[in-house]
Amino acid sequence: MSIALGFDHVDMGRQELVGGKGLNLGRLTGAGFRVPPGFVVSTEAYHRFVEAVQLGAALAELLSGIDYDDLAGVEQQTAKIRDLIHGSPMPASIATAIREAYDALGVRYVAVRSSGTAEDLADTSFAGQHDTYLDVCGHEALLDGVQRCWASMWSARATGYRRQNGIDHSTVALAVVVQTMVASEVSGVMFTANPLTTATDEIVINASYGLGEAIVSGIVTPDLAVVSHLGCRIKSVTVGSKTIEIVRNVDAYSGVLEREVPHERRTIASLTQAQIVRLARIGARIQEYYEGIPQDIEWALHDDTFYVLQARDITGVQFSWDEELDPQPPEFPEASDDTVWTRAWGDSVWPGAVTPFFYSQRAQWLTRVSRSEEKLWGIRGAEDQRMFKYHKGRIYYNSKIDAANFMQAMPPALRQPDIMAHVPKAMHSEIQNKPWDPLEIVRILARIKLTRPEQSIYRFFQTGHRQIDNDGAAALGASPQELTEYTDEELLRYFEGRQAMLVDYVESMWSGFFLAMPILMSSLVRILEKWYRGTNPLILTDLITGLPKHTSTVLENLALWEVCQLIRASDVLSEQFQERPGREFFDRLGETDTGRTFQAAYQAFLADWGHRGHSDRDFHGDRRAENPAIDYNSLKTMLTADHVDPDETMKHLVASRQAAEADVIASIRHQPLGALKAEAFKLIQDWLVRIWVLRDDERHHGDRFTMSKKRALNEIATRLKARAVLEGDDYYFLSQRDVWALLRGAPMTRLMRAKIAARRHNWERVDKGLDHPMYLRTDGTTYHDIDPATELAPEQDGLMRGFGTSRGLVEGTARIIETQAELHRVRKGDILVTRATDPGWTPVFLVISGLVLETGGLLAHGACISREYGIPAVHIPGAMGRIEDGARISVNGDTGEVVLLESPQLVR
């Protein structure tokens, strides 16, 4: 076995022989990258050295005497080992092989670097823990450098690190890289993903004058360049001080020295922009060679030529490749660096942890619809914006879209804070003060009317309800059994066809929901401020409570309530329900006549509502047709409630709304132009009531499409698992593009496995209740806006102030609920405290007496449902961390206050 192996030697592919650095230098050389030539003193040389000078027993004895809790003692013992290795004579055969390899290089100066067999692994990094010697010249200096590198394997730091990471000392050895020294004018480090922000679409370059050791050792502040992977576009360049440079010591036979950089050079970037782009392209190519895994690359520039000195996987950073889940160019542009992304949109309509697969397909078609509609409206600055950003298991919405819409489609008088919930408060002043051309909205409405008449301000109601009422079977699509008969390509085309149908459906209502509704809702608020002279301080809440017909969510819950009554009325079913928790109750219904009767009723319920019941819209959540245990928890909660008459409750709420409308009309009619003002109010109020009905019904229909796509995805996953390509639910943590590639025969790669592990980790943290910042910048860092909690009135002990979203006052036990799976803990009369709710949560509204939400506003799902059930509701930022589970509290939806009455200990 060779002692010295050239970088092009066949054995350079064996890490146990050449170590991590040597392995990578051999791979880079073989791949054609410009690597300064050199050779590796193999681990075989180290083993022969230890054997020849008989150090084995001495090493074992010194290691056995180390007390790792005694830092000074560790240093003393390891120093003895280093002295033994450095002070022992180099065997002649090893020395000769090293001299011959050095002479064959034909250069005077070389770098001598340690290359450990345990370094550069996925979960460990020995960077900087072993010695490096630069500008080594001559046989004796080289041999001395090799022995010093061997000795550095036994530094206190490296020895302790191995022990901390469970690496057996006896299993590791050290190779030594001897590499032609580049007399670099500039050198540095390049990361092909951003280790600070974890952005994988950015390349980060550190550069300074002289040798890269100045950066590695931290003695200079280098220049910093950030480059986009897309087209290698330079995003920013920050010039560092670069006060020191390390250069060859020309006055000595070997080694380097530090010298000051002249002041005039310190303020100049060490690389030109053209050089930065060239270097970034080299980094992108190296990452591509390493199967897309982000790389930590050492480089040097000499005579305008870049040399690659080292590359290894970046370790210690939790990359999750979130950026690639976002809609991709060229169809969708990059988001600008100054974009602020808000979590509020997702909290109100797309809550919970979001899986990468679901996001990748949904964000793409939603962004396509958004851009199409913004172009139709002619909103400048919004038509080319991305709609969403994925960040570690949550979605964020582009606040620039709403800001552009408000400034161009809405009069300044209507740009009120409540309407601008998805825009940071720091931007409100600019939006409110932006001048407005009244002809703008006329042009927008005319374009909609002439180009897409089905989306016009009134026609979209008919369009939406027609699709909801007539296209249910088409939306649900093929059955799971039918999908098994499709070929792979038919299955993919079917899924994408579902997407196209959903796009048509959503587009038909987009203008009504996202253009007209904010304008008219704000108009209603303004009318009440300017024209209403009545005495009801909560008139707005009353006006948006009590819809004239049962929405799909109400009908669904009433149908489940009727199913519940079958259990309540039967001793047999009640006993079975208690003795057979969860899915077992449904699985064993066929054992008795009573059970079969109930089973038939439940199957009839599933025929209409089987695609619902999930906690949010993500494919990951079970629907009741897939897992009836969802309904077990809902039924268990309902059984704790006394008899209620939902129809009577609804009639009372409708009467309250109608009384509020009459109150407003009576107040307005007595004013100048009162008849005209009253007609304007009635027109706006009628439109809003109709859209609130449609708003709930369209989600029911949209869930049909989602269910049909989930069935197709389940079939795709079944095939991939049968082919041993994927395991379990791994497919949820890849993008649609990756899953499609796997189904078409692409191999599972190291990069895909890394994505699955990292994204699952992020998703599980969110699913367990990890909070995320409300606002982000495009680079993933937190944007600090005005905290809504700081704008509330000062609080007394036990008093929390927010704002009410549904009228009434109630006292009860606070039940802190993180996810839908915990809803079975809720009992009759409890007050639900949570971040946000979704249709899957609505059965609990038949039981709870009050609601406290952390996010959302008057139009949030939980707020709307609370009003329909006559339940007091309040929005309190951070409520889940401020209210203890089991505490007795009061909720005042009129004043927006929550009061702590008794602590959980006293309640018990």
Side-chain angles (χ1 to χ4, degrees):
M1 190 175 294
S2 297
I3 296 298
L5 307 174
F7 288 171
D8 57 353
H9 194 285
V10 65
D11 282 337
M12 285 294 292
R14 298 173 57 191
Q15 181 162 339
E16 76 278 7
L17 191 62
V18 298
K21 277 191 181 66
L23 175 71
N24 285 323
L25 286 170
R27 294 188 64 185
L28 291 166
T29 299
F33 292 101
R34 187 175 282 110
V35 177
F39 62 92
V40 176
V41 180
S42 71
T43 56
E44 177 65 17
Y46 172 77
H47 290 306
R48 289 188 188 182
F49 166 77
V50 171
E51 182 179 357
V53 298
Q54 300 179 342
L55 292 179
L59 288 175
E61 182 179 351
L62 288 169
L63 286 171
S64 65
I66 294 179
D67 178 3
Y68 289 96
D69 294 327
D70 178 7
L71 298 183
V74 174
E75 176 57 38
Q76 289 176 0
Q77 289 293 95
T78 55
K80 293 177 183 178
I81 297 176
R82 296 195 299 275
D83 289 342
L84 274 175
I85 293 175
H86 184 245
S88 299
M90 177 79 78
S93 60
I94 299 175
T96 298
I98 293 173
R99 292 190 190 101
E100 290 176 352
Y102 171 69
D103 291 340
L105 281 179
V107 298
R108 290 185 62 196
Y109 292 95
V110 292
V112 180
R113 304 175 188 271
S114 303
S115 180
T117 55
E119 69 183 13
D120 299 337
L121 301 178
D123 53 354
T124 60
S125 173
F126 281 80
Q129 298 199 30
H130 299 143
D131 283 354
T132 290
Y133 300 93
L134 305 176
D135 275 308
V136 174
C137 182
H139 290 164
E140 296 311 310
L142 173 59
L143 293 175
D144 182 70
V146 169
Q147 280 190 255
R148 287 184 182 277
C149 284
W150 285 342
S152 72
M153 187 174 70
W154 300 102
S155 69
R157 184 170 46 165
T159 304
Y161 186 78
R162 287 195 296 271
R163 196 235 185 198
Q164 179 183 351
N165 285 275
I167 300 172
D168 188 346
H169 296 304
S170 65
T171 64
V172 297
L174 197 76
V176 179
V177 169
V178 180
Q179 188 174 25
T180 299
M181 193 73 201
V182 177
S184 53
E185 295 96 28
V186 182
S187 56
V189 180
M190 171 168 51
F191 300 95
T192 62
N194 194 322
L196 297 179
T197 65
T198 71
T200 52
D201 59 350
E202 292 180 344
I203 297 171
V204 178
I205 297 171
N206 278 164
S208 191
Y209 298 124
L211 304 179
E213 189 67 18
I215 294 177
V216 174
S217 60
I219 66 173
V220 297
T221 301
D223 297 337
L224 171 67
V226 180
V227 183
S228 170
H229 266 280
L230 180 64
C232 284
R233 176 181 63 84
I234 297 176
K235 301 177 73 171
S236 66
V237 176
T238 305
V239 177
S241 57
K242 307 184 297 294
T243 55
I244 300 292
E245 63 179 336
I246 297 178
V247 296
R248 179 174 296 162
N249 188 351
V250 296
D251 295 328
Y253 186 70
S254 184
V256 296
L257 57 79
E258 297 179 8
R259 72 182 182 195
E260 286 194 7
V261 175
H263 288 280
E264 61 271 17
R265 295 180 66 211
R266 296 179 187 180
T267 58
I268 302 172
S270 54
L271 295 176
T272 67
Q273 293 206 345
Q275 288 171 334
I276 290 172
V277 171
R278 282 168 49 203
L279 181 58
R281 292 191 188 282
I282 293 171
R285 286 176 50 222
I286 291 174
Q287 176 175 292
E288 183 179 40
Y289 174 72
Y290 279 99
E291 302 178 73
I293 301 296
Q295 295 294 299
D296 173 352
I297 301 167
E298 297 176 27
W299 56 270
L301 177 68
H302 174 66
D303 197 19
D304 200 33
T305 300
F306 284 106
Y307 295 88
V308 179
L309 308 180
Q310 183 54 244
R312 67 184 187 93
D313 292 358
I314 298 175
T315 55
V317 181
Q318 191 70 35
F319 294 115
S320 52
W321 295 268
D322 289 347
E323 298 79 15
E324 76 163 37
L325 300 170
D326 293 328
Q328 295 295 305
E331 181 182 359
F332 303 101
E334 282 191 289
S336 59
D337 295 338
D338 63 344
T339 302
V340 177
W341 303 84
T342 173
R343 205 189 76 204
W345 193 96
D347 284 351
S348 60
V349 299
W350 200 355
V354 179
T355 59
F357 182 93
F358 185 75
Y359 172 83
S360 69
Q361 56 86 37
R362 190 176 186 87
Q364 185 177 55
W365 69 258
L366 269 176
T367 297
R368 184 176 291 117
V369 172
S370 173
R371 294 186 67 205
S372 172
E373 295 301 301
E374 297 290 345
K375 288 179 180 178
L376 168 65
W377 303 343
I379 302 293
R380 298 174 300 281
E383 75 280 5
D384 59 351
Q385 293 288 329
R386 292 189 180 202
M387 191 177 185
F388 298 116
K389 176 180 178 63
Y390 188 83
H391 183 72
K392 301 186 184 304
R394 278 200 181 275
I395 66 159
Y396 286 79
Y397 174 78
N398 188 340
S399 61
K400 279 190 173 183
I401 296 176
D402 277 5
N405 288 340
F406 294 145
M407 289 188 287
Q408 295 172 57
M410 186 179 287
L414 300 184
R415 301 171 192 167
Q416 302 175 57
D418 287 347
I419 296 298
M420 296 188 289
H422 301 153
V423 178
K425 288 180 171 57
M427 299 169 62
H428 285 193
S429 177
E430 176 190 358
I431 294 171
Q432 289 168 330
N433 294 326
K434 180 77 171 179
W436 182 65
D437 178 5
L439 292 177
E440 192 74 53
I441 190 63
V442 176
R443 287 191 287 266
I444 292 172
L445 295 176
R447 277 192 288 267
I448 297 172
K449 180 70 174 178
L450 295 174
T451 309
R452 299 180 188 169
E454 74 282 357
Q455 294 186 29
S456 62
I457 193 167
Y458 278 107
R459 284 277 301 280
F460 96 95
F461 287 113
Q462 288 81 13
T463 303
H465 282 296
R466 176 183 52 76
Q467 294 180 89
I468 293 168
D469 297 338
N470 301 331
D471 298 344
L476 282 170
S479 69
Q481 180 58 40
E482 290 170 331
L483 291 173
T484 63
E485 300 171 2
Y486 287 26
T487 66
D488 287 355
E489 285 300 323
E490 286 174 335
L491 198 55
L492 299 185
R493 287 197 298 271
Y494 171 79
F495 188 100
E496 289 162 1
R498 303 275 89 200
Q499 301 257 89
M501 290 177 64
L502 188 52
V503 165
D504 290 341
Y505 169 62
V506 172
E507 272 190 338
S508 69
M509 291 178 289
W510 195 272
S511 294
F513 284 122
F514 294 102
L515 177 68
M517 184 176 180
I519 294 174
L520 293 176
M521 186 63 191
S522 192
S523 297
L524 177 61
V525 173
R526 198 67 175 168
I527 284 173
L528 296 176
E529 289 177 352
K530 295 294 185 181
W531 298 345
Y532 178 62
R533 300 289 186 270
T535 59
N536 183 355
L538 301 172
I539 189 66
L540 176 61
T541 304
D542 288 347
L543 288 173
I544 60 178
T545 300
L547 300 182
K549 66 177 285 291
H550 287 336
T551 64
S552 60
T553 300
V554 173
L555 291 173
E556 174 187 354
N557 290 333
L558 290 176
L560 186 61
W561 179 263
E562 293 302 320
V563 170
C564 177
Q565 302 319 299
L566 297 177
I567 299 175
R568 191 190 299 274
S570 168
D571 292 338
V572 173
L573 286 175
S574 296
E575 182 179 348
Q576 292 176 347
F577 189 85
Q578 295 297 324
E579 294 177 352
R580 302 169 182 175
R583 189 160 190 159
E584 183 185 1
F585 170 74
F586 296 92
D587 289 343
R588 297 179 61 181
L589 286 171
E591 296 177 0
T592 64
D593 290 340
T594 305
R596 285 189 287 272
T597 301
F598 177 85
Q599 189 175 52
Y602 184 68
Q603 288 299 319
F605 169 77
L606 289 182
D608 292 327
W609 309 105
H611 60 290
R612 302 265 278 182
H614 49 296
S615 59
D616 51 56
R617 292 182 169 186
D618 201 300
F619 293 144
H620 192 277
D622 285 339
R623 277 61 176 165
R624 53 170 56 96
E626 301 170 304
N627 181 12
I630 292 172
D631 281 334
Y632 183 89
N633 288 335
S634 297
L635 292 167
K636 184 177 181 180
T637 300
M638 286 182 175
L639 286 170
T640 68
D642 298 328
H643 177 71
V644 296
D645 189 337
D647 283 320
E648 284 301 315
T649 300
M650 298 303 156
K651 289 177 183 177
H652 172 74
L653 293 171
V654 169
S656 296
R657 174 181 55 80
Q658 291 171 338
E661 291 171 348
D663 182 18
V664 174
I665 293 170
S667 176
I668 291 176
R669 282 192 184 279
H670 297 295
Q671 302 172 26
L673 301 177
L676 185 61
K677 291 178 179 178
E679 289 304 313
F681 163 75
K682 287 192 289 184
L683 181 68
I684 292 172
Q685 174 69 3
D686 175 68
W687 195 96
L688 286 170
V689 168
R690 294 171 67 188
I691 199 172
W692 289 324
V693 172
L694 181 59
R695 183 177 182 268
D696 193 77
D697 289 346
E698 64 85 13
R699 296 194 71 169
H700 157 67
H701 191 56
D703 287 343
R704 290 166 168 163
F705 283 106
T706 304
M707 183 64 171
S708 72
K709 289 193 289 182
K710 183 178 183 184
R711 286 172 176 166
L713 178 61
N714 288 343
E715 177 59 27
I716 291 169
T718 297
R719 297 182 188 189
L720 289 174
K721 286 186 280 190
R723 298 167 190 173
V725 177
L726 286 171
E727 299 178 355
D729 64 353
D730 283 353
Y731 56 97
Y732 282 124
F733 301 97
L734 292 173
S735 66
Q736 178 180 317
R737 184 173 60 254
D738 279 344
V739 173
W740 271 211
L742 291 174
L743 190 67
R744 286 173 169 145
M748 169 62 71
T749 64
R750 186 163 70 105
L751 177 60
M752 287 186 185
R753 293 191 183 94
K755 291 175 185 176
I756 291 169
R759 292 169 179 170
R760 182 188 293 277
H761 171 78
N762 290 338
W763 182 88
E764 288 178 345
R765 293 185 72 200
V766 175
D767 196 48
K768 292 174 182 176
L770 173 76
D771 205 0
H772 274 46
M774 183 57 68
Y775 297 104
L776 290 179
R777 300 182 187 276
T778 295
D779 65 5
T781 57
T782 300
Y783 172 87
H784 296 286
D785 191 40
I786 301 170
D787 183 355
T790 64
E791 298 190 336
L792 305 177
E795 296 173 359
Q796 305 166 7
D797 289 343
L799 171 65
M800 288 162 275
R801 289 192 176 95
F803 61 85
T805 57
S806 181
R807 294 188 63 170
L809 173 65
V810 68
E811 294 183 8
T813 300
R815 194 63 60 206
I816 312 298
I817 299 295
E818 291 275 1
T819 67
Q820 182 187 0
E822 300 178 70
L823 286 178
H824 65 278
R825 296 199 298 113
V826 178
R827 294 293 177 264
K828 174 68 174 176
D830 282 353
I831 296 173
L832 175 63
V833 182
T834 190
R835 286 188 178 84
T837 65
D838 206 68
W841 294 59
T842 48
V844 81
F845 283 80
L846 291 168
V847 176
I848 62 175
S849 62
L851 175 69
V852 181
L853 292 176
E854 287 193 330
T855 59
L858 282 173
L859 300 182
H861 173 268
C864 292
I865 297 300
S866 293
R867 291 193 294 270
E868 294 314 301
Y869 282 91
I871 296 170
V874 171
H875 167 86
I876 300 283
M880 297 179 71
R882 303 163 72 182
I883 301 171
E884 294 183 83
D885 187 68
R888 187 162 184 81
I889 63 174
S890 69
V891 172
N892 191 330
D894 297 350
T895 64
E897 294 178 341
V898 171
V899 179
L900 174 64
L901 302 174
E902 295 178 89
S903 67
Q905 293 78 13
L906 294 176
V907 170
R908 296 191 190 96

